[in-house]
Amino acid sequence: MILSMSVLRLGTRKSPMAMAQSGQVARLITARTGAQVELVGLTSFGDVTRAHLPDIGGTGVFVSALRESLLHGEVDLAVHSLKDLPTAEMPGILLAAVPAREDPRDALVGKDRAKLADLASGALIGTGSPRRAAQLRLIRPDIRPVPVRGNAGTRLKKVTSGELDAVVLAYAGLARIGQLDLVSEVFEADAMIPAPGQGALAVECRADSGELAELLGGVDDPASRAAVTAERTVLAELAAGCSAPLGAYAAGTETLRLTAAVVAVDGGRAVRASMAAPAAQAVRLGRDVAAELLARGAATIVAGQSAMSAPGERALDPAVPPGELGNGDDAQ
């Protein structure tokens, strides 16, 4: 493929949020490099299954179809929510760019714009993320997180209809679909630690696409890549996926400060660690923080949280059309 004579085919999931973020990356590539990009919509297993994400492996269920299309030459590059990516490298696939990260924080959308402190005891808060459920219980032990599926629009409707008192979604995801006006509260990263890679996007291409990889490097943001590398190293070292209530967030340019926590899904126990190191040592920083978490007992929490639902928790029936299912964890 001669890039100067080709329109790049960007593989993306078909959900509104995925299309929005992929379009954002396509425009960035064109602005930075002059290359023309067209979106190619694909359907992943995560989009059509009605199971809850932790029950089907979570991390990776939205990624496999795009990667297969890449390897088969059906698309030239693919865009994912970075926190959907498994931490293990896939042969033949290269993480070519991490564009500048957007706001990584979690946001609450409450009925009648209620904040978390305003919700009554026993209030139902929808989330597909064990991490969010655990940290919500840590802050408000008297509320009831319940697992939900569906894209952001489907989840938001559960609040307006009164089925739920609130939902927690990624602030960046709401920004991408133009729904920030519905946000009633934004959780600071030290109060609710984001998921590793939250707010960041991943641009992948085939490992043998040297010319394309070089071009995509033009949209890479080194500071964002270093931060998410540190966070994802914690995830890898703890052998945790989306079924584990792990939060990890790194910030900084030349120096990174990484904070991570593992919280029991019932909110009854938490371990936390925070360290700083030069950005060039992001992997080592992640390993050191993970080692500290393990020394404080994180492994027992991770091992005990193989599913989202705590005993007695009511799960909402994800009876929505296949086209409205999963949006990746950025929607959760």
Side-chain angles (χ1 to χ4, degrees):
M1 177 180 65
I2 302 174
L3 295 180
S4 60
M5 298 177 60
S6 302
V7 175
L8 297 176
R9 300 162 298 171
L10 188 160
T12 177
R13 293 167 51 223
K14 296 179 182 178
S15 68
M17 190 176 297
M19 294 294 286
Q21 66 193 28
S22 295
Q24 176 182 323
V25 172
R27 291 188 293 273
L28 180 62
I29 291 172
T30 299
R32 295 274 182 89
T33 71
Q36 298 301 305
V37 184
E38 66 177 8
L39 302 188
V40 179
L42 301 168
T43 300
S44 73
F45 174 68
D47 292 311
V48 297
T49 179
R50 295 181 181 275
H52 291 294
L53 297 189
D55 297 333
I56 55 176
T59 303
V61 299
F62 297 110
V63 173
S64 58
L66 299 185
R67 284 179 161 178
E68 287 299 318
S69 291
L70 262 181
L71 292 174
H72 292 150
E74 297 165 352
V75 297
D76 303 307
L77 65 152
V79 171
H80 317 277
S81 292
L82 195 143
K83 64 182 177 178
D84 285 344
L85 288 186
T87 55
E89 292 185 5
M90 181 173 180
I93 298 291
L94 174 70
L95 177 57
V98 178
R101 187 182 205 171
E102 298 177 62
D103 195 320
R105 296 176 296 174
D106 293 302
L108 183 86
V109 176
K111 188 171 177 60
D112 300 324
R113 303 192 69 83
K115 297 183 178 181
L116 183 62
D118 301 328
L119 297 175
S121 180
L124 300 178
I125 304 180
T127 174
S129 163
R131 171 190 62 84
R132 291 187 181 125
Q135 294 192 75
L136 284 168
R137 285 194 176 97
L138 194 62
I139 300 169
R140 282 283 308 269
D142 60 323
I143 53 88
R144 294 180 59 199
V146 292
V148 291
R149 283 294 314 273
N151 66 28
T154 299
R155 299 176 193 214
L156 292 169
K157 288 177 183 177
K158 293 181 182 295
V159 177
T160 56
S161 70
E163 187 175 358
L164 293 172
D165 298 294
V167 292
V168 179
L169 306 167
Y171 186 91
L174 289 168
R176 289 169 189 151
I177 61 172
Q179 297 285 8
L180 289 182
D181 58 317
L182 299 179
V183 173
S184 53
E185 182 175 4
V186 180
F187 298 104
E188 294 303 322
D190 60 347
M192 182 175 288
I193 303 176
Q198 183 161 304
L201 299 175
V203 185
E204 292 187 326
C205 67
R206 290 183 299 279
D208 60 2
S209 302
E211 186 181 358
L212 176 57
E214 183 177 353
L215 180 142
L216 294 176
V219 301
D220 188 65
D221 181 70
S224 296
R225 183 184 279 263
V228 300
T229 296
E231 296 163 11
R232 285 165 54 77
T233 299
V234 178
L235 187 67
E237 291 292 304
L238 269 61
C242 84
S243 62
L246 166 70
Y249 176 58
T253 50
E254 295 184 3
T255 299
L256 284 179
R257 173 157 290 279
L258 171 63
T259 300
V262 178
V263 185
V265 78
D266 62 1
R269 185 185 175 202
V271 295
R272 182 179 177 123
S274 182
M275 298 180 186
Q281 299 177 15
V283 172
R284 179 178 176 180
L285 176 61
R287 288 174 177 165
D288 287 346
V289 168
E292 183 62 25
L293 289 174
L294 290 171
R296 297 180 182 184
T300 58
I301 299 177
V302 172
Q305 309 301 332
S306 59
M308 157 84 189
S309 298
E313 186 174 79
R314 180 176 69 88
L316 297 182
D317 179 13
V320 291
E324 293 298 305
L325 288 170
N327 234 13
D329 198 34
D330 261 356
Q332 295 174 11

